[in-house]
Amino acid sequence: MSKAAQPMEKGDQPVCEVFGVNPATVERLRPAVAGTRGLADLFKALADDTRAKIAWALSQEELCVCDIAGLLGVSVATASHHLRVLRQMGLVRYRRAGKFVYYALDDDHVVRLLENAMEHLREGDRRGGPAL
């Protein structure tokens, strides 16, 4: 595609005026794109509002299942179900302490992912961007 071609508006989405694939770019990026297997599933796990709230709360501190249920106004069974999904995706871990089970985010990567997402949302609010 020629660098001089300016994108035209089709509805609200800018698109190229002509179709032209750059083979070198496609081949250079193919391995990076192939390496994203599982990425959509990770975001799907966080796409549920309850799980996103649980993850954000756990980015603040470790919590027991009962505290999570109370914080979100859901049953312990519902909280446990969402925690199981997050645990299966490797986003949270748990530990037993007597009769209690405490959950925490699995590692700093998950904390940074959530912090970056929240920062992005806050920046959108300051720019007058759409509320997601």
Side-chain angles (χ1 to χ4, degrees), residues 9-126:
E9 301 291 323
K10 195 173 208 176
D12 288 337
Q13 185 64 33
V15 296
C16 298
E17 289 182 27
V18 296
F19 181 78
V21 174
N22 183 329
T25 300
V26 170
E27 288 308 310
R28 185 179 67 250
L29 293 176
R30 193 176 303 277
V33 171
T36 64
R37 194 175 88 224
L39 184 61
D41 291 334
L42 182 143
F43 283 106
K44 192 183 331 179
L46 293 171
D48 178 89
D49 191 52
T50 301
R51 288 193 290 272
K53 288 177 181 176
I54 290 170
W56 183 249
L58 293 175
S59 76
Q60 307 303 300
E61 63 184 82
E62 179 182 69
L63 295 166
C64 83
V65 179
C66 299
D67 289 338
I68 292 169
L71 177 65
L72 300 179
V74 300
S75 69
V76 170
T78 297
S80 293
H81 164 74
H82 288 292
L83 286 161
R84 181 172 46 255
V85 172
L86 294 171
R87 193 176 72 244
Q88 288 170 341
M89 286 306 305
L91 297 172
V92 300
R93 59 182 158 73
Y94 71 93
R95 69 176 178 86
R96 292 188 181 276
K99 296 182 180 186
F100 295 94
V101 176
Y102 290 91
Y103 280 83
L105 292 181
D106 192 52
D107 59 31
D108 286 339
H109 295 108
V110 181
V111 173
R112 287 195 312 265
L113 175 70
L114 293 166
E115 287 174 346
N116 286 335
M118 288 299 291
E119 182 179 348
H120 179 74
L121 286 175
R122 288 185 200 113
E123 285 177 1
D125 288 345
R126 286 192 298 271

